[in-house]
């Protein structure tokens, strides 16, 4: 990722309380030659990537665009706040929550997410009821992917109770 955090085998409080604020992350293309299948392989380059037990982190007021994969990828992490970010023109999901095996709390508020392709989602959450609050976001295009089922904003709100004060611009 353009900005990357990990706890992994480090001390459990390695990055507790970190704040990722006011960054501009653009043109994440990854390193296909550094992947197992070389230039033929996929090369993920999320704008901001929280990995392997990162916790109690705030992602605030960042601008993320033109990244290959999710704008923000949250993997095996918990107690994360994502607020006031703008994510657009990336090849993938706006915010993707992956491989969660711990008690997880996510607050996703006041973000602007533009997804141009109907095959990707504003928020993709494949691993349980992990989002405490998603609200007051502005979505332009895209859908919501919850456990592999796709929803528009109204259906997402009805199913999840999230994003009560959010708005969605129809996809062009």
């Amino acid at each position: 990722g353009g900005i990357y955090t990990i706890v992994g085998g480090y001390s459990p409080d390695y990055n507790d309380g970190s704040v990722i604020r006011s960054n501009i992350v653009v043109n994440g293309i990854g390193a296909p030659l550094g992947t197992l299948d070389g230039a033929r392989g996929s090369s993920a380059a999320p704008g901001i990537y929280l990995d392997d037990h990162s916790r109690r982190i705030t992602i605030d007021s960042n601008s993320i665009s033109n990244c290959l994969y999710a704008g923000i990828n949250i993997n095996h992490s918990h107690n994360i706040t994502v607020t006031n970010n703008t994510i657009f023109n990336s090849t993938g999901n706006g915010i993707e929550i992956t491989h969660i095996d711990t008690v997880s709390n996510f607050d996703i508020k006041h973000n602007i997410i533009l997804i141009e392709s109907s095959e990707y989602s504003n928020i993709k959450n494949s691993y349980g009821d992990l989002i405490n609050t998603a609200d007051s976001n502005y979505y332009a295009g895209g859908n919501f992917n919850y456990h592999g089922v796709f929803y528009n904003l109204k259906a997402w709100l009805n199913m999840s109770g999230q994003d009560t004060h959010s708005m969605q611009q129809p996809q062009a």
Side-chain angles (χ1 to χ4, degrees):
I3 297 174
Y4 181 78
T5 68
I6 187 170
V7 171
Y10 295 103
S11 165
D13 60 355
Y14 181 68
N15 59 16
D16 270 5
S18 294
V19 178
I20 301 169
R21 178 175 290 135
S22 299
N23 297 283
I24 299 171
V25 182
V26 296
N27 300 328
I29 60 170
L33 294 178
T35 62
L36 291 176
D37 50 2
R40 297 180 317 278
S42 64
S43 178
I48 296 175
Y49 186 7
L50 307 187
D51 197 8
D52 207 5
H53 304 289
S54 294
R55 64 180 186 220
R56 290 184 279 280
I57 295 176
T58 298
I59 303 170
D60 178 34
S61 301
N62 299 284
S63 179
I64 303 163
S65 69
N66 299 322
C67 292
L68 185 59
Y69 196 66
I72 297 173
N73 188 47
I74 302 169
N75 180 54
H76 277 288
S77 300
H78 56 94
N79 293 40
I80 307 299
T81 299
V82 180
T83 188
N84 299 313
N85 299 286
T86 301
I87 302 168
F88 63 99
N89 203 35
S90 289
T91 306
N93 301 301
I95 299 171
E96 185 162 346
I97 301 169
T98 58
H99 304 290
I100 305 299
D101 63 356
T102 59
V103 175
S104 302
N105 296 307
F106 299 104
D107 291 313
I108 302 169
K109 297 179 181 179
H110 305 287
N111 300 286
I112 300 170
I113 302 175
L114 167 61
I115 302 297
E116 294 182 350
S117 172
S118 61
E119 68 182 287
Y120 298 112
S121 301
N122 296 305
I123 297 174
K124 180 181 180 185
N125 177 6
S126 300
Y127 296 91
D129 297 323
L130 308 172
I131 299 173
N132 276 357
T133 306
D135 201 13
S136 301
N137 297 296
Y138 180 82
Y139 304 108
N143 54 52
F144 299 84
N145 181 337
Y146 181 77
H147 296 276
V149 178
F150 293 88
Y151 299 90
N152 64 23
L153 179 60
K154 183 177 180 181
W156 162 251
L157 187 151
N158 290 334
M159 185 280 301
S160 68
Q162 300 291 348
D163 279 305
T164 304
H165 301 99
S166 295
M167 297 185 331
Q168 184 171 29
Q169 173 72 30
Q171 194 153 354

